[in-house]
Amino acid sequence: MALFEKYGYLPDEAHVSRRLQEILSNSGKSSPEILKKCFSFMDLTTLHPEDTADSVRRLVDKVNLLEKEYPDYPIPASVCVFPNFASVVRDARNSPDLHVTTVAGCFPASQSFLEVKVKEAEMAVADGADEVDMVLALNSFLAGDYESAYREIAVIKQATDRVAASLGRTVILKVILETGILRTVANIANASFLAMEAGADFIKTSTGKVSVNATPEAALVMCECIKAFYAETGRAVGFKAAGGISDAGEAFSYYSTGASVLGDEWMNKGRFRFGVSRLGNSLMSAIEGKTVSYF
């Protein structure tokens, strides 16, 4: 049985297209207040081969200076880096409210031994990661081996929670579905429910490392799955759009989708995120009404 069936969710591409058109035609205009909320949802991301401790530290310093340079702005939700830079972000940030997010589990392909994935995630948390973004094991999922794909998420969730608890902390696990590879509405729905059942705290669209990343269609399906899962289980799971979102207008459209499907109670950084490297300047430019090149 398809996972989505037990939640009463019926994936339908015509419905997705129709619902998106309805949401976007009725969403109205963005406002500085909403754009600042979008700013607070950002996981500011740098995942480049040329990243260094100094370049990561400079990004964190930009966030640290926001309070002085733009005192009426919220700080972003986190800075997202490779796991070996977790301690750099942890030590450079001025406030623990700026979370340390790391990718882990052999990002972005998730093609390795489970033991290696678990160890990398554990080490990231030990080095200061407040949040871990892992990739769904597509090699298992696309082969129809849902049990193995589920087990990987569950094992990594248990391992990261255990390390965090030993340090007197908690950790958030986000599971990247790589929706551009899943392609179909049914696959995206099945992957969403599988990840949530396995313990994901957030489900995330994409790595940003494939040809098709975040799309409005994938976002709608994932948000509808989150709503159905919450109705059935009472557990609230967050949503993260990532990959190619660089414009304030795009951010507002994703915001509108989330608010329309999930409601205003989801529109906070505890339940809604953007994984971005370029969006910050666009949001600031739209808010200020002039070109801003801060990040």
Side-chain angles (χ1 to χ4, degrees):
M1 183 179 76
L3 292 175
F4 52 74
E5 290 182 9
K6 65 181 176 181
Y7 295 96
Y9 184 72
L10 300 175
D12 180 86
E13 299 207 7
H15 159 77
V16 170
S17 178
R18 191 167 54 247
R19 183 76 174 104
L20 268 180
Q21 187 175 23
E22 174 188 301
I23 289 170
L24 298 180
S25 64
N26 293 321
S27 60
K29 294 183 178 180
S30 64
S31 65
E33 291 73 25
I34 289 176
L35 294 179
K36 284 181 181 179
K37 286 184 74 173
C38 290
F39 191 88
S40 75
F41 299 164
M42 293 192 304
D43 289 343
L44 279 175
T45 302
T46 181
L47 296 169
H48 305 297
E50 66 269 26
D51 286 344
T52 66
D54 283 345
S55 68
V56 169
R57 200 174 292 112
R58 285 194 296 271
L59 179 59
V60 179
D61 286 344
K62 286 285 188 180
V63 179
N64 290 338
L65 285 170
L66 271 171
E67 185 178 9
K68 177 182 177 182
E69 300 290 336
Y70 292 89
D72 58 337
Y73 277 61
I75 64 169
S78 80
V79 170
C80 179
V81 293
F82 286 117
N84 48 305
F85 295 122
S87 63
V88 176
V89 180
R90 178 199 63 199
D91 295 343
R93 63 182 174 176
N94 282 351
S95 169
D97 290 338
L98 177 69
H99 279 191
V100 180
T101 295
T102 75
V103 295
C106 300
F107 175 96
S110 191
Q111 295 280 16
S112 190
F113 303 103
L114 178 56
E115 294 83 355
V116 175
K117 299 179 187 182
V118 170
K119 187 63 176 177
E120 185 179 52
E122 288 176 335
M123 292 175 69
V125 175
D127 263 12
D130 302 297
E131 308 185 8
V132 170
D133 290 17
M134 65 167 285
V135 182
L136 172 71
L138 292 169
N139 54 359
S140 297
F141 183 89
L142 293 175
D145 185 0
Y146 289 0
E147 183 178 348
S148 293
Y150 175 102
R151 186 167 65 91
E152 285 209 3
I153 297 168
V155 168
I156 291 174
K157 174 64 174 170
Q158 291 163 7
T160 53
D161 280 351
R162 183 174 59 250
V163 174
S166 73
L167 298 169
R169 297 165 35 217
T170 58
V171 65
I172 291 168
L173 182 68
K174 307 193 199 85
V175 177
I176 305 166
L177 307 184
E178 204 69 288
T179 54
I181 291 177
L182 296 178
R183 297 185 181 180
T184 70
V185 171
N187 274 345
I188 294 169
N190 271 336
S192 296
F193 287 121
L194 182 148
M196 290 188 287
E197 287 184 353
D201 299 303
F202 274 73
I203 53 175
K204 174 179 171 182
T205 59
S206 321
T207 61
K209 305 297 184 183
V210 295
S211 58
V212 177
N213 290 288
T215 65
E217 292 78 12
L220 178 68
V221 173
M222 291 168 68
C223 287
E224 289 187 334
C225 290
I226 289 169
K227 182 178 180 179
F229 185 79
Y230 179 67
E232 181 69 22
T233 68
R235 189 167 78 84
V237 175
F239 169 76
K240 179 175 174 179
I245 303 168
S246 59
D247 177 79
E250 292 173 337
F252 178 65
S253 71
Y254 283 102
Y255 178 97
S256 298
T257 297
S260 295
V261 175
L262 296 168
D264 290 339
E265 64 268 31
W266 245 265
M267 305 317 293
N268 59 74
K269 67 180 181 180
R271 294 187 182 178
F272 202 91
R273 296 286 181 87
F274 294 115
V276 295
S277 58
R278 295 170 291 164
L279 179 62
N281 286 336
S282 181
L283 288 172
M284 296 177 81
S285 297
I287 293 165
E288 298 297 321
K290 61 182 181 181
T291 300
V292 176
S293 298
Y294 184 79
F295 291 105

